[in-house]
């Protein structure tokens, strides 16, 4: 039994980080593609949060941005840039928790989320996943010799 457990743990050590990165990539490509195609279920939320931005153009830009993030995760190339783009995108979304909390929390309890709140709160998992990728998936930059 111990050998089996060791084999499973070793398998997980080897493949968990690539699986996490690819999973994030799929989520971002998928969500971005929905925005590009004009079929995203979050259009109403986007319009409510950003009423001053031109609707079709802003959604298209956001979709392309998300697909770029997804491709960065899928390929494993330019991970620092990919994560920076992700955090900018996440910051733009998560700030709404503070600027427009009524969209995300029911008035009956601060722990009761609305449908949009449930959609938004899952981003905490995506952000935590990016921390893992940074901590274990990025090689430290070496200092250039003078």
């Amino acid at each position: 039994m111990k050998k089996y457990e060791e084999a499973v743990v070793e398998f997980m050590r080897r493949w968990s980080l690539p699986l996490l990165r690819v999973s994030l990539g799929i989520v971002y490509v998928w969500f971005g593609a929905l925005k590009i195609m004009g079929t995203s279920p979050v259009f109403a939320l986007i319009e409510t949060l950003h009423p001053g931005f031109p609707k079709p153009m802003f959604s298209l830009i956001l979709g392309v941005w998300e697909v770029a993030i997804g491709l960065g995760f899928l390929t494993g190339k330019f991970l620092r840039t990919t994560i920076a783009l992700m955090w900018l995108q996440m910051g733009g979304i998560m700030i709404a928790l503070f600027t427009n909390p009524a969209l995300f929390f029911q008035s009956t309890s601060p722990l009761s989320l609305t449908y949009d709140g449930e959609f938004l709160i899952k981003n905490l998992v995506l952000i935590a996943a990016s921390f893992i990728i940074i901590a274990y998936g990025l090689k430290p930059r070496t200092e250039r010799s003078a």
Side-chain angles (χ1 to χ4, degrees), residues 22-35 62-63 65-71 73 82 85-87 89-90 93 122-123 126-127:
V22 168
S23 297
L24 275 176
I26 291 169
V27 167
Y28 268 95
V29 167
W30 198 323
F31 285 4
L34 289 174
K35 288 176 183 75
L62 186 56
W65 185 303
E66 290 178 356
V67 168
I69 292 168
L71 293 175
F73 281 126
T82 298
L85 290 172
M86 177 191 173
W87 285 0
Q89 183 254 358
M90 282 291 164
I93 295 170
K122 62 98 175 90
N123 290 337
L126 300 179
I127 293 167

Side-chain angles (χ1 to χ4, degrees), residues 9-81:
V9 169
E10 185 56 37
F11 178 83
M12 295 298 175
R13 282 191 181 121
R14 166 100 172 96
W15 293 105
S16 59
L17 188 59
L19 180 61
L20 180 62
R21 189 176 46 75
V22 168
S23 297
L24 275 176
I26 291 169
V27 167
Y28 268 95
V29 167
W30 198 323
F31 285 4
L34 289 174
K35 288 176 183 75
I36 291 169
M37 294 183 301
T39 59
S40 176
V42 298
F43 280 141
L45 178 60
I46 292 170
E47 290 175 13
T48 301
L49 293 176
H50 306 289
F53 293 127
K55 294 175 190 170
M57 184 57 70
F58 183 65
S59 294
L60 179 64
I61 291 169
L62 186 56
V64 169
W65 185 303
E66 290 178 356
V67 168
I69 292 168
L71 293 175
F73 281 126
L74 285 171
T75 64
K77 306 260 187 223
F78 310 107
L79 279 176
R80 285 175 175 79
T81 302

Side-chain angles (χ1 to χ4, degrees), residues 53-139:
F53 293 127
K55 294 175 190 170
M57 184 57 70
F58 183 65
S59 294
L60 179 64
I61 291 169
L62 186 56
V64 169
W65 185 303
E66 290 178 356
V67 168
I69 292 168
L71 293 175
F73 281 126
L74 285 171
T75 64
K77 306 260 187 223
F78 310 107
L79 279 176
R80 285 175 175 79
T81 302
T82 298
I83 290 172
L85 290 172
M86 177 191 173
W87 285 0
L88 285 171
Q89 183 254 358
M90 282 291 164
I93 295 170
M94 299 304 279
I95 194 78
L97 284 171
F98 304 103
T99 61
N100 204 340
L103 282 174
F104 307 106
F105 299 100
Q106 297 179 23
S107 60
T108 56
S109 165
L111 298 178
S112 298
L113 298 170
T114 64
Y115 177 77
D116 290 332
E118 287 185 15
F119 175 79
L120 197 67
I121 208 75
K122 62 98 175 90
N123 290 337
L124 296 176
V125 175
L126 300 179
I127 293 167
S130 75
F131 283 31
I132 299 298
I133 291 171
I134 290 169
Y136 299 102
L138 290 182
K139 293 180 175 87

